[in-house]
Amino acid sequence: MSLNKYSRTITQDPTLPASQAMLYGIGLTEEDLKKAQVGIVSTGFDGNTCNMHLNKLAEEVKTSVWDNDLVGLIFHTIGVSDGIANGTEGMRYSLVSREVIADSIETVCGAQHYDGLIAVVGCDKNMPGSLIAMGRLNRPAIMIYGGTIAGGNWKGQELNIVSAFEALGEKLANKISDDDYKGIIQHACPGAGACGGMYTANTMASAIEALGMALPFSSSNPALSPEKSKECSAAGKAIYNLLKLDLKPRDIMTRKAFENALTIVMALGGSTNAVLHLIAMAKTVGISITQDDFQRISDKTPVIGDLKPSGKYLMGDVHRIGGVPAVMKYLLQKGYLHGDCMTVTGKTVEENLREASTLNFDKQDVIVPVEKPVKATGHIQILYGNLATDGSVAKISGKEGTRFKGPARVFDGEFQLIDGIREGKVKAGDVVVIRYVGPKGAPGMPEMLKPTSAIIGAGLGKSVALITDGRFSGGTHGFVVGHITPEAHAGGTLALVQNDDLIEIDAAQHRIELLVDDATLEQRRKNWKQPPLKATSGVLYKYAKHVKSAADGCVTDED
């Protein structure tokens, strides 16, 4: 049985001698040309801890592919370091990079006729970008997560990337010495791997493993571990099996599989960015996942992971107690997962989990029982109201309460807010509004990690709320509401808010309201003028012209 459905177009068609000549030119033999070809895409680059080791992992994958009588060919696509870009104009490129990654993988695999695809990816947008490409191509595919970073330490204080941002807030409030500030910055990221908490990278890795598109343990195997290397060595056999079975992403990425992914996001207290990414990923395989699906799953799923940013533990601790498969096994036993969903192992979720460890609640508290959860229902809440007629996404851990009412303190962009904190403009009880940072308004919908971390570092984390048409980092915590749609640039009510207007947020009732009468709002709307796009050329301009709203996953390939 031939495994090469696509590459034989160029390896066996006698009318394509130039194509064959070039394949001979890269060193393939006549026997190799009879084999299936697997594209191995790496988002490795030197400039980011999340990605710095991925090219080495890709080489291990390549060896494994060749060892399984397949042709493995490495190519590369981009990555953006969210940690480096956060708090700068560069953060506008972060979400844009998801589309560039998806487009470039689709382009290479489509043009080169690869029969299968293995993506070796690290930072936040790498993962959904690779899955969007897999959904479009619909050829046997596996995602390998680069793995999580080890924790840092300064003077006995355990550190992670968010520690660096919160240290800035402490510095602005004169609560930390210059020596300790520098020490935290220098020791927060001790080596290779993605941010250690249940931030966006680990959230998406866990969700994609639950979705069935990554090998078991991929999301919790640390970056620099024998387990991660073993996973790469297993990839060749796994992709051979997928090619043999002709098992493709659209066979795996079903509605029930997406429900499994949403459930693991809720159970582990994952990032709000999962809302954008899973909606976009589902679209590529013809599945309609909406914000309301997140609310439905949130309503019935307890948070059982005591993980940072709002909890105590890191992904390394999850690995220590049996990894994400141990969590999934427990959730399956409790009836929260669909066990009959197919996965990239060629087995179902239930079959994969039979050999997984069983959680022992007497010996660990990283994951707690559903009967004694961190939060009885999910932390992700979808809010509607006159401020968000098309919806918004709140991250409510339970520690900050469910209701907040206060006067608006309005900033047209995060840099204005940082100045405002420094100048003492933000007071306890305020609802901080950051607007014109949405998909079109920024453009690129940057994360507001620096503002939220600065607020927490300044000692205001428990006494102010923050709302925005931008995104939040998975490292964000506090009373925050993002993804407000329509965004300010599109004329959403957020554009009409003025300082000292009362805003009420009620997560229990799923409402977010500007307490200004309709007549006043109508007059303000008549006086409002849409600002020009902030980008006039290049990739940001193209993105702003094509991107859909946050409620639609910020996709760029729809009318």
Side-chain angles (χ1 to χ4, degrees):
M1 179 175 62
S2 176
L3 300 181
N4 57 334
K5 292 182 64 177
Y6 300 99
S7 62
R8 64 185 172 202
T9 302
I10 54 175
T11 60
Q12 297 178 16
D13 187 338
T15 67
L16 297 173
S19 301
Q20 295 162 14
M22 297 187 82
L23 291 171
Y24 284 125
I26 66 170
L28 298 190
T29 66
E30 190 166 352
E31 189 62 30
D32 291 334
L33 294 185
K34 299 175 184 177
K35 301 174 182 178
Q37 296 180 11
V38 177
I40 303 164
V41 60
S42 170
T43 59
F45 68 104
D46 293 344
N48 184 21
T49 55
C50 309
N51 300 69
M52 61 189 286
H53 63 306
L54 299 184
N55 289 340
K56 178 178 179 296
L57 295 183
E59 291 289 349
E60 294 181 31
V61 171
K62 179 180 177 180
T63 297
S64 174
V65 169
W66 278 91
D67 286 348
N68 281 274
D69 204 32
L70 302 168
V71 172
L73 299 168
I74 291 176
F75 66 101
H76 300 271
T77 187
I78 68 158
V80 166
S81 170
D82 285 9
I84 293 173
N86 243 308
T88 75
E89 292 284 0
M91 192 62 199
R92 299 185 299 167
Y93 290 91
S94 170
L95 189 57
V96 176
S97 75
R98 186 190 77 181
E99 308 309 300
V100 177
I101 291 165
D103 292 350
S104 60
I105 294 174
E106 178 194 357
T107 299
V108 173
C109 288
Q112 301 301 120
H113 299 273
Y114 292 147
D115 301 286
L117 170 66
I118 301 175
V120 184
V121 289
C123 197
D124 297 9
K125 310 310 169 297
N126 300 180
M127 284 170 277
S130 69
L131 264 290
I132 289 169
M134 290 174 187
R136 292 177 184 171
L137 290 161
N138 200 36
R139 300 174 190 182
I142 300 171
M143 191 201 82
I144 292 178
Y145 176 42
T148 190
I149 195 171
N153 189 283
W154 173 248
K155 295 183 177 179
Q157 176 187 355
E158 293 185 357
L159 303 175
N160 61 86
I161 185 62
V162 176
S163 306
F165 285 99
E166 292 183 358
L168 172 64
E170 293 181 285
K171 191 172 188 298
L172 292 175
N174 297 314
K175 294 182 176 182
I176 190 173
S177 70
D178 289 343
D179 181 60
D180 284 337
Y181 176 68
K182 181 174 285 189
I184 290 170
I185 301 302
Q186 291 178 340
H187 293 85
C189 296
C195 302
M198 192 46 59
Y199 310 145
T200 304
N202 283 327
T203 297
M204 292 312 301
S206 301
I208 290 165
E209 182 174 330
L211 184 68
M213 288 299 296
L215 295 173
F217 299 98
S218 182
S219 60
S220 45
N221 285 336
L224 303 179
S225 69
E227 293 89 343
K228 184 55 67 178
S229 183
K230 184 178 179 181
E231 178 188 341
C232 292
S233 296
K237 182 178 181 180
I239 195 69
Y240 182 94
N241 188 48
L242 288 177
L243 288 162
K244 180 180 176 182
L245 296 172
D246 196 26
L247 187 59
K248 299 182 287 294
R250 295 185 190 187
D251 303 320
I252 295 171
M253 297 166 68
T254 63
R255 168 164 285 280
K256 287 166 65 175
F258 274 102
E259 289 185 349
N260 285 347
L262 268 64
T263 298
I264 202 74
V265 170
M266 299 303 171
L268 295 177
S271 166
T272 53
N273 282 312
V275 179
L276 286 174
H277 297 324
L278 287 165
I279 288 173
M281 287 159 52
K283 282 176 179 283
T284 67
V285 293
I287 303 293
S288 176
I289 297 293
T290 70
Q291 292 175 331
D292 294 337
D293 288 308
F294 280 84
Q295 188 63 65
R296 177 174 57 84
I297 298 295
S298 182
D299 287 344
K300 64 180 183 180
T301 307
V303 179
I304 59 172
D306 190 10
L307 301 167
K308 290 182 181 294
S310 55
K312 293 185 295 186
Y313 294 107
L314 299 171
M315 186 57 109
D317 298 302
V318 176
H319 171 71
R320 174 174 54 81
I321 63 166
V324 167
V327 181
M328 290 178 62
K329 182 176 183 177
Y330 177 66
L331 289 170
L332 180 64
Q333 291 170 343
K334 290 294 183 176
Y336 289 96
L337 295 181
H338 302 290
D340 58 343
C341 293
M342 186 54 64
T343 75
V344 292
T345 65
K347 299 177 181 179
T348 65
V349 167
E350 184 177 11
E351 289 171 329
N352 286 342
L353 297 178
R354 284 175 185 164
E355 302 302 318
S357 299
T358 299
L359 293 174
N360 187 329
F361 297 113
D362 294 327
K363 294 185 177 180
Q364 62 82 34
D365 61 352
V366 181
I367 306 297
V368 298
V370 295
E371 295 83 7
K372 297 179 180 178
V374 175
K375 188 174 182 293
T377 56
H379 60 299
I380 292 179
Q381 299 293 313
I382 307 301
L383 311 185
Y384 291 92
N386 68 349
L387 265 175
T389 55
D390 293 340
S392 61
V393 182
K395 185 177 186 180
I396 307 295
S397 71
K399 298 179 180 180
E400 61 284 287
T402 60
R403 186 175 179 275
F404 198 105
K405 181 179 179 180
R409 201 62 53 217
V410 182
F411 301 93
D412 290 345
E414 64 175 303
F415 306 116
Q416 282 191 14
L417 172 62
I418 298 299
D419 291 339
I421 293 173
R422 185 181 290 112
E423 295 163 7
K425 292 181 179 179
V426 179
K427 307 292 186 185
D430 284 347
V431 177
V432 174
V433 176
I434 306 179
R435 63 188 180 189
Y436 294 110
V437 290
K440 291 183 180 292
M445 202 181 180
E447 292 176 349
M448 297 294 109
L449 177 58
K450 185 175 179 180
T452 54
S453 299
I455 286 170
I456 289 169
L460 295 166
K462 295 181 179 180
S463 59
V464 304
L466 190 152
I467 69 173
T468 180
D469 51 6
R471 297 183 295 123
F472 291 115
S473 163
T476 294
H477 55 114
F479 206 119
V480 296
V481 183
H483 304 205
I484 289 178
T485 51
E487 63 175 290
H489 187 272
T493 305
L494 198 68
L496 310 180
V497 181
Q498 296 182 1
N499 281 325
D500 297 317
D501 286 347
L502 282 179
I503 292 175
E504 184 173 33
I505 307 164
D506 190 335
Q509 299 299 318
H510 305 114
R511 303 298 297 172
I512 179 168
E513 301 283 352
L514 176 63
L515 302 181
V516 173
D517 63 86
D518 291 343
T520 301
L521 286 179
E522 185 58 32
Q523 187 57 50
R524 290 182 187 178
R525 194 174 300 280
K526 289 178 180 177
N527 294 332
W528 178 79
K529 293 182 179 180
Q530 185 180 54
L533 289 175
K534 294 176 184 175
T536 57
S537 64
V539 68
L540 292 179
Y541 176 73
K542 288 192 288 185
Y543 187 84
K545 296 292 286 185
H546 292 282
V547 68
K548 303 286 281 188
S549 76
D552 289 317
C554 292
V555 298
T556 57
D557 60 346
E558 290 184 348
D559 290 333

